[in-house]
Amino acid sequence: MTTLSAALRTAIDGRWAHVRDEARAELDPGRFGPPSGELTLEEYRARVAGQLQELARTGHPTRGLSKELGGQGDFGASVTAFEMLGHADLSLLVKAGVHWGLFGGAVANLGTARHHAAYLPGILSAELPGCFAMTETGHGSDVQALGTTATYDPATDELVVHTPDLAARKDYIGGAARDGRLAAVFAQLVTDGTSHGVHCVLVPIRDDSAEPMPGVTVGDCGPKAGLGGVDNGRLSFDHVRVPRENLLNRYGDIDENGVYTSPIDNPTRRFFTMLGTLVRGRISVAGGAGAATRSALTLAITYAAHRRQFAPPGGDEEVLLLDYRAHQRRLLPALATSYALLFAQNELVSQMHDVQAAGDAAGPLAQRELEARAAGIKALATAHATATIQACREACGGAGYLAVNRLPALRADTDVFTTFEGDNTVLLQLVAKGLLTEYRDTFGNLDTLGMVRFGARRVAGTVIERTAARGLIERLVAAAPGRDAEGVVMHRGWQCAMFEERERHVLDTLALRLRRAGEPDADAFAVFNDAQDHVLAAARAHVDRVVLEAFVAGVASCQDAAARAMLDRLCSLQALSVIEAEKGWFLEHSRITPARSKQVTAAVNALCAQLRPHAQDLVDAFGIPAEWLGTELLDQPAPGTSGPVSS
Ligand SMILES: Cc1cc2nc3c(=O)[nH]c(=O)nc-3n(C[C@H](O)[C@H](O)[C@H](O)COP(=O)(O)OP(=O)(O)OC[C@H]3O[C@@H](n4cnc5c(N)ncnc54)[C@H](O)[C@@H]3O)c2cc1C
């Protein structure tokens, strides 16, 4: 590792750098890495189930639990350690995320003392493997409309959990097909003929000999596009009875007289408050996607720095792939985005740690900001993973397609990250809704239509939400040279101003457009539906700015001059690549002239050329131990090398 890559690593490792270092030392690929050969589905699942037990023995999962519940209360460390697992086997990452993050998270956050005492020790040690059973065949994104019911029976003081039809069957559930013993089942809670909305109930699904419990039908989703080591399955319940105490009752309870009470009166607000406590899952998926993307970029850039194709006319040495501008264009802007997202993820994890460590004292506004930020970063990071890993696969040619070189598995395993823990399109809509001023302050009193009508009344009220780097950005924007100044595209203030203007304009015009929903007899749903492309554009513009500002703040806080200069260029590449990709919008809205647009493209090319000699340092800074990547790809024979030709 060079001095430069070491300094860069210090800048990007963030607040939990020690956790990253610990993972680098401890995550032995033989124990936690992907399988080296082909395994049957059952063999792969058994392997990952065993790895989960081994992870439990490290004691690290206790970090994610608060001190009051017997854990270490180091939430940021927990999410960072999870992110590092993204360099190992992604099946293990998802298996661990489902068991400790989702299932354990539901028990810890939605349950109360009786559940904590009874279940958390078994969850931490992984002796009680669990499932998080929310999605149904009929509903995945719209989980308020779930069909499973949990009906209180006063005669026996029990809850009767039932699947009324095929659409209400729990589907895709991690752990359901093979290992899960206890499921956190999301169902409509009914007492005395009244539904109180979706709540979570613990339902044993297998007995000690792994047979399904009476009334529980388990199914297997079978082979998937990736994540072969995760046993996704289906669950149906035929009037399955569990004690009333199995209701996770932090936000809604039934007393011994069968009376339902909740500290939150509004059912929509109650439901979103419950979901909000599970925000860590979404942040973890963004982190895992980032790690997998960095593995792919390290492979593709290292390969391109050694692989040669075509000699220039008259030359005897062939050209390195990374010296081709087309190749730089495929990989270096993606590398810049990965850096940007890593800074944004570090900020998000830190924000999450502080909010969760503060508990109720953090207040609802901080919690809502965290949820919106998590939704936006998750959507961007996972979409970036899918696009970049595919680009890396192609950039390695045929070698990129061989399983031994990891890229096919990285691509297949991360593909679904855009869908689970909230589908990206649905998440971006959440981000946009949160941006309409004051809607946030009345959150919970409004359904989608109410939100549209409300948002429509606040036409001129859109604001640029503050980020940690706000003061710095304002100073940079104020110091930007005039729009027509020479070389303005390389000025950080100009770049930031472009991102702000795009966000503000898209948001303002969205609010104007939605105003029609408030007119008498307007079909508010249709108005919102008509504007959905605009809604998504507003969310993307917002998240793009948040991510850029995290990068700008990361550059500013870098202590090493050489590393800071390198990050500065990379940050410009990130900013200008986004402006270039969105140049249609900037030109249509006269934010840039055609001449300025061409300067942006020229600047992206120039930055690629300037960063090319440092590309290896930039990926080495990710600090991914060579043995985790250990593929043939990084060991290409030079022409003239002798050896067995058949292997
Ligand atoms: C491998 C895997 C593991 C999983 N593990 C679990 C688990 O352990 N527990 C669990 O509970 N769930 C799990 N899931 C389920 C996952 O969370 C859902 O698949 C996800 O929430 C999407 O739901 P859906 O599949 O019903 O898609 P849908 O909600 O039907 O969405 C389909 C498409 O429609 C679009 N769409 C939906 N609504 C709108 C709208 N309003 N506007 C515009 N477009 C829209 C979406 O963008 C998407 O492209 C898993 C899924 C997979 C594939």
Side-chain angles (χ1 to χ4, degrees), residues 38 50 75 171 224 227 344 350 416 479 534 545 562:
E38 193 125 316
F75 313 118
D171 214 341
K224 305 184 292 290
L227 298 176
S350 199
V416 75
H534 202 153
R545 179 182 63 80

Side-chain angles (χ1 to χ4, degrees), residues 32-57:
F32 299 111
S36 47
E38 193 125 316
L39 298 181
T40 64
L41 209 54
E42 170 52 26
E43 286 167 345
Y44 198 175
R45 289 172 173 182
R47 173 188 160 94
V48 170
Q51 289 175 324
L52 189 82
Q53 300 292 331
E54 212 166 323
L55 266 188
R57 284 192 284 277

Side-chain angles (χ1 to χ4, degrees), residues 195-221:
S195 176
H196 305 286
V198 173
H199 287 64
C200 188
V201 181
L202 294 176
V203 183
I205 57 170
R206 285 192 180 80
D207 62 20
D208 290 341
S209 44
E211 290 302 316
M213 296 294 283
V216 177
T217 304
V218 297
D220 194 326
C221 293

Side-chain angles (χ1 to χ4, degrees), residues 94 98 102 131-143 170-175 184 186 224 226-227 230 232 416 418-427 429 433 525 528-529 532 536:
V94 170
V98 167
L102 293 177
C131 302
F132 180 86
M134 182 181 271
T135 305
E136 295 176 354
T137 307
H139 290 99
S141 297
D142 183 7
V143 277
K170 295 293 174 187
D171 214 341
Y172 318 107
I173 308 303
F186 287 79
K224 305 184 292 290
L227 298 176
V230 187
N232 293 96
V416 75
T418 57
T419 298
F420 64 26
E421 275 296 331
D423 169 86
N424 282 0
T425 301
V426 175
L427 288 184
Q429 293 184 57
K433 287 172 185 175
F525 188 86
F528 187 78
N529 196 20
Q532 253 189 351
L536 295 174

Side-chain angles (χ1 to χ4, degrees), residues 113-166:
R114 66 183 186 230
H115 308 108
H116 300 154
Y119 302 111
L120 287 179
I123 293 173
L124 283 177
S125 68
E127 280 158 12
L128 178 63
C131 302
F132 180 86
M134 182 181 271
T135 305
E136 295 176 354
T137 307
H139 290 99
S141 297
D142 183 7
V143 277
Q144 263 185 297
L146 295 179
T148 305
T149 51
T151 308
Y152 180 65
D153 179 359
T156 58
D157 198 25
E158 289 172 317
L159 286 166
V160 183
V161 179
H162 185 60
T163 307
D165 53 32
L166 199 55

